[in-house]
Structures are given as structure tokens and as C-alpha cells.
């Protein structure tokens, strides 16, 4: 047998043993998920003892297929995207053993949802400008400041938090990275309504919120380094999963075109097909990226994937509204709600069109991603940074 | 269809390196530019080195039929390098399109000479013909000789033997004609690195290569041509990107590197992302063709649509972002612009290709 076959055979044995001991038909959902984590079948690329087996990320797809075929529950990853996609890899890379054991299991099972307290009114693209202050008081840190655009803060148990711990050094050097308890009395979450009508994100006010020093991730003053690890993971997550043809946004428009011949207009056809081709090429580029990573040649294409994804969802949803004509003038519901999951495709075309606008802003704007590609991949000169070497407290603002 | 390997194998990488070395040595831009002024000294020697010394002419042909037994993937890898140099050689027209027609038609004697690089062949259709709109205009006269005129044929200038689709009562046959028996008139072409010719057959004698289904063989050949030309377009786009990035990094205006202006950084970042997507589309078309995957038809249409437009955009950006020097005869940018624009129109223009793709994936153009 090839090593690949041996690995697969071993995974199959482990999955069978899990299913044998915990019949999905009778066992409680959470009990099953905890057992799956303990069997190392949660995210096989994580280390043993932390829900994984130290294998490559690609093998998880195989495990998921086996489990889905057996009718096993999943951990509903959409409910905890920030936890799974950003907090977990950061904790794995920078957490202490104790932090890993405490946080990763309930994070993966979805018992504890996470949010990201990075952006502030004065620090968005320029994230290193964060002004939220954390001041040490013995074994704890006392945190004061305001965060904004915090998705899922209203349902989060924990947050990854970037705060300033030393204002006397230049901005990139004076930050630290914490795990913040969202149930702390010093944390107040207020909904922020979006262009879709709902409030998926929030503003978060931190007033003497207390964070134990044991919940610091990485060394004091190393917050920027840790935050960058988080952001890298955020962008890698896009295009990370294999999907069938037309499974993305283009599927909706294609379905409309096929099932509603009365809406077909000749002048829209070339645009439809151009976008269809681009969506398919983007999907295959995701495949190529995964193949590169599996072959040990991780490239800088991740940022490119996010750029393409954002542009395509916006163009495709725009075309969809135009195709629909009169129906495109209607909207399903402007009522203010605080959704449980972030779903780009869940609602009607008007919602899809509006929500897609966030894709080129959240997780690093498309302009910032172009700067990154130009500087890191194409080695073009960096943007001028007027405030780079000035102590943070002396930056004019 | 998700298992298609979209990376380069070690063999493909090694092949690309040997082609690149040879072209770096023998295919300097100024010599390619000279072909526009009628200097045809470069081509024969260059083609002989590629076809015979590197054995590229028979890449697509199985060993038992006299070839190298490689696949469409390797041919695509070669085309990428040829695109990168805008190399004026008939690899696409002879070693891909004509060879595929002969492979399908089953003429092994002729195939072996083409695969061995001893003879160069060309399929006699206008280069703009898309695989789905092949029309044979040549007929057999009362004496059994060929009569007709086909304009704008690619590869005919370099060909020893012409493969002519001939209209007969019950379909299309494919005939082989010695180049000397036809009147081949080179035409001043937009892309002189693949100069076109008008072909007149005024009673030329021919041998029938395939009787029935000549159109099927030619269509398959044109489709493979379009699928693999995507890799040539990738090579063009890659050259344009690399050259433009390099130039803007060095060029100084307003006391700073022009490549540091954000408006240009963003355009180049977009060009980079587009070029990587071009690679995806081109590799997918090559690998599905190599595997005879059921998705190869869709893959070829996607590649023709996407890579045609992206190569043109890369070349147009290349000219613009070079400023005045980009407009000159001396700078090689125009070689790539002309190649990209000609490739876009060739073998089915992108709009027609997308219209056809719509039919194939059940997203048809409405009938009015
Ligand atoms: C739906 C959504 C969900 C979000 N969720 C979260 C979350 O959970 N947690 C969190 O911390 N944040 C979150 N964000 C915030 C997001 O990361 C920021 O909005 C983003 O980084 C941009 O920052 P900003 O809003 O301050 O815009 P600014 O940085 O002020 O940008 C304004 C404009 O200027 C452009 N710009 C800025 N700098 C440059 C430059 N150097 N070069 C060129 N152009 C530039 C930007 O691209 C943008 O177009 C979310 C945002 C959205 C839309």
C-alpha cells in the first residue's frame, strides 16, 4: 500500500471505532462531537490530544465524507467561523498547553462561539493603530476602549482581543493579544445595523473589563505578530474547501436562467457566461491552491483568492438583480434581527447583493489586499508609512 | 473532475527549462521583431532545433506511431514557453492541430514523418475558424483534383504538406496536398510571428487521408488547438506581467520608483491575480485533454474564453504601463500585443465561444 492508502485505511478504522462506540442515531449531538474531538477526528491537521492526528488538512475531507455517510452530526461550522477559522489556529500557534486544553475542544464542538475584537473606530485597515488600552494590575489586565464591526459578539462566549499595552513605543511594537471573556461585566455589546437591515456585527465597549494574564496569547508586546497569524488564517480559509461546479453564488443565477426562460435576455448572455467562466476558474484555482499546499509549495495565492471571490460575488449578485427585473425591485425583509449565522447566500437576491458588498471590506479590504500582493509577491515598493517610527502616544491624531 | 492535477510535474518543468534555455539562446526579441520586416532567417533553424533536437514535433504522438508518447500536458508546457518568447515556430499548427487531425484520421505514414519533424503540416482553414463552425470550401473537380481558395491559413507558410477539408456530397473528407502543388501566398498579418497565407488550389492532386468524418477529425484538432493555445496565452500574459513589474520597479519619475505609485501597484496586483487564474484555466484544459476527461469540451471552451481575454488585457496593460517605450518598434511589447490579439480572434472569438459554452452547460442564449 502507498502511504496515502495506509493513512486512509487507518482513518477509516478510527472512524468506524468512533461510530461503533457512539452511534449517531442514539447518542446526543454534543456527546458525539466531543467524542469525535477526543478521537482526533475533529481537525486531523491539529496535533494528537487536541482534536487531531497531525495529518495534512486535506485528510479531513475524507473523514467528513465517512462521517456524513454514516449520518453523524457536524459541528455547524458556520455558527463559529471566527472561532474555527481564526481563533483556533492562533491558539494552536501561540497558546500555552493549558490554553489549548481549555479552549480548543468547546470551540470546535461549537459549545463556545468566538468573536474578533480587532477593529476600532480609529483603527481599521491600519489595525496597528488600535487605541484600546490594557493596563496590568497584578495578575490581570484592565481593559478600556471601543471596538467596532464585531461580528457575532452578541452570541460569543470568548473574543480574541488586540489591545495596546505600551504606548511609549512605535505602534507595531506596543500591542498584546488576549483572550477576552465576553461575559465579563466590563464588556457591553450593542448591535450595529447593516445595509441589509439586520445586525450581524456590533460595537463593543470595554470599561474596566478584566482579563487574567493567563489569557494572554504570545508574549507581551508581541500582539502584532500574533494578530498577523490570525489574519493570514482568515484569508487562507477562503477557497479552502472543495466545492462542486455552480455551488457558489453563480449557482443562483444559473438556476434562474435555466428555470425561468421568460427572464432570459440576449444582451445579458455574454455577461452571464463570462461570470460563469470566471466563477469556475476561481473554483478550480481553489483546487490548484490546495494541491500546491498538499505538495508543500504554499504560495501567496490566498490573498488573490479573496480578491477574486469578493469581486465575483458582487458582480454575480448584481447581475442576478438585473435579470430578475421587476422582482429585483423587491426585498424580503428589512426588519432588524441579530442573526445566528453569517450566511452570504441564505436569503433572497436583494440580500445577497447587499451582503456581498461586505466581502471586499471584511477581513482586509480589497485595496489592502492589492497592496499586500504588490509588495510581498511582486516586490514593489512599500506604501509610505509616516508614523512607523514614532512612539504611539506621539502620533498626531 | 476535481482530481485533475493542475500543477506541473517534474517532467513538465524539466521540459520547460530545456525549451526556455534554447529560446533564450536562439530567439532573441530583436530577431523576432525582424520577422516583421521580412527577415525569415530565424524560423527554419529555430524550428529544426525545437522539432528535431528537442524532439518536440512528436510530443502528442504515441511511441508506437512514431512519436515521443507524451501528452497534451507536456505540449501545453511547451506552448507556455513558446508564448513567453512569442516564438515564430509552427508547433501549434503542425505539432498540435495538424498532428491531432492525423491522429484522429489514422494516417500513420504521414503522421510518422510529421512526428519525426521531417515534415511540417498545416490544416487548411482560416485561423479564425472556431471548432464549431467549420465549413469546407474546397471541392473535387471532374478530374479528381482539388479546387478552391482558403484565406488566412496559419502554418501554411512553413508547411511541407497541407491537410485540406474537402466538401463532398455526403460530408467532409480530409485530403493531403504537397505544399508545392498549391499556391501559397503569404499575407501581411497582424501577428507576423505566426504569419498567415492564402491558399489556392487550382487543380492540385491530393491523397485522401480520411473519407468519412473528416470534419470530426478537423473539429477535434481545432478544439485541441484552442485548449492548448490557452497555455501559449498564459506564456504571453506571464511575460507581460513579469516585464512590466520589472520595468516599473526600475523606472523613476517624480523622484521615486514608478512601481511605488499605488494606482499602478493595484493594477499590477490585479494582473498577477488574473495571470494565476489564466494558469488555472490553461492547466485544466490541458489536463482534461490529456486524460480525455468528459469535461474536456467545457474546459476547452472556458480556456478559450478566459485566456484569450486575459492575454490581451495583460499585453494592453504592458504597453500602457511602459509609456512611450511601449509604443516603439524596438521594444518587444508589441510582439506580445499582436500575438495576444491574434490568438484572441483565432480558433473562435471569445463571445462566440461563450455562446457555445452556454449551449453545452445548459445556459442557452435565448432564441428570439
Ligand atoms: C461585514 C463586516 C464584518 C466585519 N467583522 C469584523 C469583526 O468581526 N471583527 C473585526 O475586528 N473587524 C470586523 N470588520 C471590520 C473590517 O476588518 C474593517 O472594516 C476593515 O479592515 C476596513 O477598516 P475600516 O472600516 O476602518 O476602513 P478604512 O481603513 O478607514 O478604509 C476606508 C477606505 O480606504 C481604503 N484604504 C485604507 N487604507 C488604505 C491604503 N493604505 N491603501 C489604499 N486604500 C486604503 C480602504 O480600502 C477603504 O476603501 C468587519 C467589517 C465588515 C464590513
Amino acid at each position: 500500500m502507498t502511504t496515502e492508502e495506509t493513512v486512509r485505511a487507518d482513518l477509516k478504522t478510527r472512524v468506524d471505532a468512533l461510530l461503533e462506540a457512539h452511534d449517531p442515531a442514539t447518542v446526543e449531538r454534543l456527546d458525539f462531537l466531543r467524542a469525535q474531538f477526543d478521537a482526533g477526528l475533529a481537525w486531523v491537521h491539529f496535533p494528537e490530544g487536541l482534536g487531531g492526528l497531525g495529518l495534512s488538512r486535506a485528510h479531513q475531507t475524507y473523514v467528513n465524507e465517512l462521517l456524513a455517510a454514516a449520518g453523524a452530526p457536524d459541528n455547524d461550522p458556520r455558527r463559529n467561523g471566527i472561532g474555527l477559522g481564526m481563533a483556533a489556529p492562533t491558539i494552536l500557534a501561540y497558546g500555552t498547553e493549558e490554553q489549548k486544553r481549555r479552549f480548543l475542544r468547546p470551540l470546535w464542538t461549537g459549545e463556545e462561539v468566538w468573536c474578533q475584537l480587532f477593529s476600532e473606530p480609529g483603527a481599521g485597515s491600519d489595525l496597528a493603530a488600535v487605541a484600546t488600552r490594557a493596563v496590568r494590575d497584578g495578575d490581570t489586565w484592565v481593559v478600556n476602549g471601543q471596538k467596532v464591526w464585531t461580528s457575532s459578539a452578541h452570541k460569543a462566549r470568548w473574543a480574541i482581543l488586540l489591545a495596546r499595552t505600551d504606548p511609549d513605543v512605535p505602534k507595531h511594537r506596543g500591542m498584546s493579544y488576549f483572550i477576552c471573556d465576553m461575559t465579563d461585566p466590563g464588556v457591553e455589546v450593542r448591535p450595529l445595523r447593516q445595509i441589509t437591515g439586520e445586525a450581524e456585527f456590533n460595537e463593543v465597549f470595554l470599561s474596566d473589563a478584566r482579563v487574567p494574564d493567563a489569557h494572554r496569547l504570545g508574549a507581551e508586546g508581541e500582539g502584532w505578530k500574533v494578530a498577523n497569524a490570525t489574519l493570514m488564517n482568515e484569508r487562507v480559509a477562503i477557497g479552502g474547501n472543495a466545492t462542486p461546479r455552480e455551488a457558489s453564488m453563480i449557482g443562483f443565477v444559473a438556476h434562474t436562467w435555466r428555470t425561468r426562460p421568460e427572464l432570459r435576455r440576449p444582451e445579458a448572455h455574454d455577461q452571464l457566461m463570462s461570470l460563469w467562466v470566471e466563477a469556475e476558474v476561481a473554483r478550480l484555482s481553489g483546487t490548484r491552491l490546495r494541491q500546491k499546499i498538499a505538495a508543500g509549495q504554499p504560495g501567496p495565492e490566498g490573498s488573490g483568492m479573496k480578491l477574486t471571490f469578493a469581486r465575483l460575488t458582487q458582480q454575480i449578485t448584481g447581475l442576478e438583480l438585473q435579470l430578475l427585473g421587476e422582482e429585483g425591485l423587491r426585498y424580503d425583509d428589512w426588519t432588524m434581527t441579530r442573526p445566528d449565522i453569517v450566511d452570504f447566500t441564505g436569503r433572497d437576491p436583494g440580500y445577497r447583493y447587499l451582503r456581498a458588498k461586505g466581502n471586499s471590506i471584511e477581513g482586509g479590504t480589497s485595496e489592502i489586499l492589492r497592496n499586500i500582493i504588490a509588495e510581498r509577491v511582486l516586490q514593489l515598493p512599500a506604501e509610505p508609512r509616516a508614523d512607523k517610527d514614532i512612539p504611539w502616544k506621539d502620533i498626531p491624531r | 473532475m476535481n482530481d485533475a492535477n493542475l500543477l506541473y510535474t517534474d517532467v513538465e518543468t524539466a521540459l520547460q527549462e530545456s525549451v526556455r534555455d534554447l529560446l533564450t539562446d536562439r530567439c532573441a526579441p530583436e530577431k523576432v521583431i525582424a520577422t516583421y520586416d521580412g527577415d525569415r532567417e530565424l524560423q527554419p533553424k529555430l524550428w529544426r532545433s525545437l522539432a528535431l533536437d528537442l524532439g518536440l514535433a512528436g510530443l502528442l504522438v504515441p511511441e508506437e506511431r512514431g512519436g515521443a508518447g507524451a501528452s497534451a500536458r507536456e505540449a501545453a508546457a511547451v506552448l507556455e514557453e513558446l508564448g513567453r518568447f512569442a516564438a515564430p515556430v509552427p508547433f501549434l499548427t503542425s505539432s498540435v492541430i495538424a498532428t491531432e487531425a492525423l491522429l484522429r484520421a489514422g494516417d500513420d505514414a504521414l503522421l510518422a514523418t510529421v512526428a519525426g519533424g521531417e515534415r511540417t503540416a498545416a490544416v487548411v482553414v482560416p485561423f479564425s475558424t472556431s471548432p464549431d463552425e467549420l465549413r469546407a470550401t474546397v471541392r473535387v473537380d471532374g478530374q479528381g483534383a482539388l479546387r478552391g481558395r482558403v484565406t488566412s491559413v496559419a502554418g501554411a507558410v512553413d508547411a511541407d504538406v497541407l491537410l485540406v477539408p474537402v466538401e463532398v456530397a455526403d460530408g467532409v473528407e480530409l485530403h493531403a496536398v504537397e505544399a508545392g502543388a498549391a499556391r501559397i501566398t503569404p499575407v501581411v498579418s497582424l501577428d507576423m510571428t505566426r504569419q498567415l497565407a492564402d491558399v489556392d488550389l487550382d487543380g492540385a492532386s491530393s491523397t485522401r487521408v480520411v473519407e468519412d468524418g473528416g470534419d470530426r477529425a478537423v473539429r477535434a484538432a481545432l478544439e485541441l488547438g484552442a485548449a492548448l493555445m490557452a497555455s501559449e496565452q498564459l506564456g504571453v500574459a506571464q511575460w507581460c506581467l513579469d516585464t512590466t513589474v520589472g520595468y516599473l520597479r526600475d523606472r523613476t519619475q517624480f523622484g521615486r520608483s514608478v512601481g511605488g505609485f499605488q494606482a499602478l501597484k493595484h493594477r499590477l496586483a490585479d494582473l498577477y491575480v488574473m495571470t494565476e487564474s489564466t494558469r488555472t484555466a490553461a492547466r485544466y484544459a490541458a489536463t482534461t485533454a490529456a486524460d480525455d476527461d468528459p469535461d474536456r469540451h467545457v474546459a476547452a471552451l472556458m480556456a478559450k474564453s478566459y485566456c484569450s481575454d486575459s492575454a490581451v488585457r495583460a499585453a494592453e496593460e504592458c504597453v500602457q504601463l511602459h509609456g512611450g517605450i511601449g509604443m516603439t518598434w524596438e521594444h518587444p511589447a508589441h510582439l506580445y500585443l499582436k500575438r495576444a490579439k491574434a490568438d484572441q480572434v483565432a480558433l473562435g472569438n471569445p463571445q462566440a465561444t461563450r455562446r457555445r459554452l452556454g449551449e453545452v452547460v445548459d445556459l442557452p442564449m435565448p432564441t428570439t
Side-chain angles (χ1 to χ4, degrees):
Chain A
M1 280 204 285
T2 63
T3 29
E4 179 59 25
E5 281 163 341
T6 318
V7 171
R8 283 189 163 229
D10 174 61
L11 285 174
K12 175 92 171 72
T13 312
R14 287 172 192 266
V15 170
D16 287 345
L18 171 69
L19 291 166
E20 174 80 32
H22 307 268
D23 180 0
T26 55
V27 167
E28 283 282 327
R29 178 175 175 276
L30 261 182
D31 291 335
F32 184 89
L33 293 173
R34 288 175 185 150
Q36 182 183 343
F37 186 93
D38 295 338
L41 296 168
W43 34 32
V44 294
H45 55 287
F46 271 54
E48 282 186 60
L50 295 172
L53 297 166
L55 298 174
S56 83
R57 194 189 278 261
H59 287 111
Q60 188 63 39
T61 312
Y62 177 62
V63 170
N64 291 352
E65 279 163 16
L66 293 175
L67 288 171
D74 75 5
N75 63 339
D76 200 357
R78 289 181 311 173
R79 282 195 67 244
N80 196 15
I82 289 171
L84 292 162
M86 295 192 250
T90 313
I91 293 169
L92 182 66
Y94 287 98
T96 60
E97 277 316 302
E98 219 176 312
Q99 288 168 339
K100 292 179 200 172
R101 300 216 172 272
R102 163 61 189 87
F103 291 113
L104 290 176
R105 191 176 187 246
L107 183 160
W108 185 81
T109 59
E111 286 160 85
E112 292 180 347
V113 169
W114 288 65
C115 68
Q116 179 192 24
L117 292 172
F118 279 20
S119 304
E120 297 179 5
S125 299
D126 185 11
L127 182 59
V130 290
T132 292
R133 280 283 277 132
V135 178
R136 198 190 259 279
D137 177 18
D139 279 347
T140 56
W141 294 85
V142 181
V143 185
N144 281 285
Q146 186 197 339
K147 295 290 177 175
V148 74
W149 326 125
T150 320
S151 308
S152 307
H154 51 288
K155 48 174 198 166
R157 174 68 178 80
W158 300 102
I160 43 179
L161 164 72
L162 191 59
R164 185 147 316 270
T165 45
D166 185 355
D168 297 325
V169 294
K171 61 180 186 175
H172 289 92
R173 283 195 261 141
M175 289 172 284
S176 303
Y177 193 119
F178 301 97
I179 294 170
C180 173
D181 184 347
M182 293 296 287
T183 64
D184 186 277
V187 177
E188 189 200 344
V189 177
R190 291 186 205 154
L192 256 183
R193 206 169 173 193
Q194 284 160 237
I195 61 176
T196 52
E198 65 185 7
E200 167 193 316
F201 53 35
N202 304 270
E203 356 176 48
V204 177
F205 296 86
L206 301 158
S207 319
D208 290 337
R210 298 186 78 82
V211 177
D213 190 51
H215 285 182
R216 178 167 38 79
L217 269 182
E220 203 180 318
E222 298 252 284
W224 183 245
K225 193 166 108 191
V226 185
N228 266 306
T230 305
L231 297 175
M232 290 295 264
N233 278 296
E234 180 170 24
R235 284 158 205 162
V236 164
I238 292 186
N241 295 313
T243 49
R245 181 169 285 169
E246 289 189 13
S248 64
M249 213 55 103
I250 194 71
F252 290 97
V253 195
H255 180 75
T256 302
W257 190 273
R258 285 194 190 106
T259 55
R260 311 267 313 268
E262 76 281 8
L263 295 177
R264 295 176 194 165
R265 285 183 294 107
E267 65 276 14
H269 189 254
D270 192 58
Q271 195 190 356
L272 170 73
M273 293 315 299
S274 289
L275 290 170
W276 192 93
V277 168
E278 283 210 66
E280 178 61 8
V281 172
R283 184 184 77 84
L284 290 165
S285 291
T287 305
R288 193 162 69 85
L289 183 58
R290 283 190 301 281
Q291 289 176 352
K292 282 189 87 164
I293 291 168
Q297 331 162 351
E301 290 91 340
S303 305
M305 290 295 301
K306 183 180 182 288
L307 264 182
T308 304
F309 163 80
R311 181 175 55 79
L312 286 177
T313 56
Q314 293 172 356
Q315 290 179 350
I316 292 167
T317 54
L319 173 67
E320 191 183 9
L321 280 193
Q322 284 186 53
L323 269 185
L324 286 168
E326 184 190 330
E327 277 167 64
L329 298 175
R330 298 171 179 240
Y331 192 77
D332 65 345
D333 188 5
W334 293 117
T335 311
M336 151 78 181
T337 53
R338 302 178 86 180
D340 192 39
I341 56 168
V342 179
D343 187 352
F344 298 162
T345 57
R347 287 171 51 182
D348 75 346
Y351 174 86
R352 285 199 281 279
Y353 170 73
L354 294 173
R355 182 59 187 83
K357 295 289 167 257
N359 295 155
S360 54
I361 302 170
E362 56 200 329
T365 69
S366 289
E367 288 75 22
I368 293 297
L369 293 181
R370 288 188 183 98
N371 285 349
I372 291 175
I373 291 172
E375 291 170 23
R376 304 216 186 127
V377 184
L378 303 178
Q379 312 282 314
L380 292 163
E383 293 297 300
R385 290 170 199 273
D387 55 3
K388 197 169 159 238
D389 301 315
I390 314 171
W392 181 81
K393 63 175 184 350
D394 298 332
I395 296 173
R397 55 175 73 81
Chain B
M1 70 189 168
N2 277 315
D3 295 329
N5 174 13
L6 300 173
L7 308 182
Y8 299 89
T9 63
D10 292 344
V11 173
E12 287 157 7
T13 307
L15 182 61
Q16 286 188 319
E17 278 164 15
S18 55
V19 175
R20 194 179 310 171
D21 286 346
L22 191 143
L23 292 172
T24 306
D25 208 27
R26 310 262 186 94
C27 190
E30 57 276 12
K31 289 196 194 158
V32 183
I33 293 169
T35 62
Y36 278 83
D37 288 323
D39 181 351
R40 291 191 55 86
E41 203 184 314
L42 174 66
Q43 278 106 326
K45 266 189 263 160
L46 183 60
W47 176 230
R48 223 172 303 123
S49 308
L50 289 163
L52 294 167
D53 304 348
L54 293 187
L56 301 184
L59 271 189
L60 282 179
V61 179
E63 283 174 43
E64 64 275 17
R65 295 173 81 177
S71 78
R73 289 180 57 102
E74 286 81 9
V78 168
L79 277 162
E80 191 179 325
E81 293 309 313
L82 296 177
R84 211 191 277 263
F85 285 82
V89 290
F91 180 81
L92 179 70
T93 47
S94 181
S95 313
V96 176
I97 298 176
T99 296
E100 179 72 1
L102 290 172
L103 277 165
R104 301 256 169 183
D107 186 325
D108 279 14
L110 185 49
L111 181 64
T113 63
V114 174
E118 298 139 44
R119 312 192 79 201
T120 299
V123 172
V124 179
V125 295
F127 195 37
S128 54
T129 308
S130 94
D132 301 295
E133 55 173 35
L134 174 70
R135 275 179 302 115
T137 51
V138 175
R139 306 227 153 86
V140 185
D141 69 12
Q143 279 73 50
L146 299 186
R147 288 199 180 276
R149 175 180 173 80
V150 184
T151 48
S152 306
V153 178
V157 176
D158 310 277
D160 305 300
V161 56
L162 302 174
L163 300 176
V164 185
V166 177
E167 193 187 5
V168 291
D170 49 355
V172 175
E173 297 178 345
L174 190 62
H175 288 234
V177 179
E178 288 301 313
R183 190 148 47 83
I184 299 173
T185 316
V187 300
V188 179
S189 312
L190 175 65
D191 174 16
M192 289 296 278
T193 65
R194 187 181 279 133
Q195 189 179 12
L196 307 177
D198 294 338
V199 175
D200 287 287
L201 298 158
D202 312 313
S205 64
S206 67
T207 48
R208 205 186 276 141
V209 178
V210 59
E211 209 163 309
D212 224 15
D215 50 345
R216 271 201 304 280
V218 173
R219 264 194 215 120
L222 296 178
E223 181 179 300
L224 184 68
L228 300 194
M229 191 166 73
S231 287
E232 180 181 297
Q233 290 162 327
L234 166 62
V236 168
Q238 186 75 57
W239 184 91
C240 293
L241 172 68
D242 294 346
T243 306
T244 310
V245 167
Y247 180 71
L248 292 185
R249 243 191 250 134
D250 294 344
R251 172 76 179 157
T252 305
Q253 287 288 276
F254 301 97
R256 53 190 275 213
S257 158
V258 173
F261 288 109
Q262 196 180 69
L264 303 195
K265 284 167 72 175
H266 284 194
R267 276 163 80 165
L268 292 171
D270 286 338
L271 217 50
Y272 163 79
V273 173
M274 186 192 74
T275 304
E276 287 303 311
S277 298
T278 305
R279 190 182 318 284
T280 298
R283 288 270 91 194
Y284 187 64
T287 196
T288 50
D291 299 344
D292 199 17
D293 186 292
D295 207 36
R296 68 181 290 177
H297 190 49
V298 169
L301 292 165
M302 286 198 306
K304 182 70 187 60
S305 163
Y306 191 86
C307 304
S308 290
D309 289 346
S310 62
V312 169
R313 185 167 141 212
E316 290 177 348
E317 287 287 79
C318 179
V319 170
Q320 171 65 22
L321 297 181
H322 273 79
I325 190 82
M327 229 10 233
T328 62
W329 192 254
E330 175 194 349
H331 193 280
H334 66 100
L335 296 175
Y336 296 85
L337 178 65
K338 293 162 187 171
R339 173 65 73 88
K341 197 65 198 173
D343 277 3
Q344 183 188 43
V345 176
L347 301 172
N349 80 53
Q351 286 84 6
T353 303
R354 287 192 281 272
R355 190 176 169 144
R356 173 78 191 122
L357 179 62
E359 289 160 20
V360 174
V361 301
D362 186 26
L363 293 169
M365 176 89 158
T367 43
T368 39

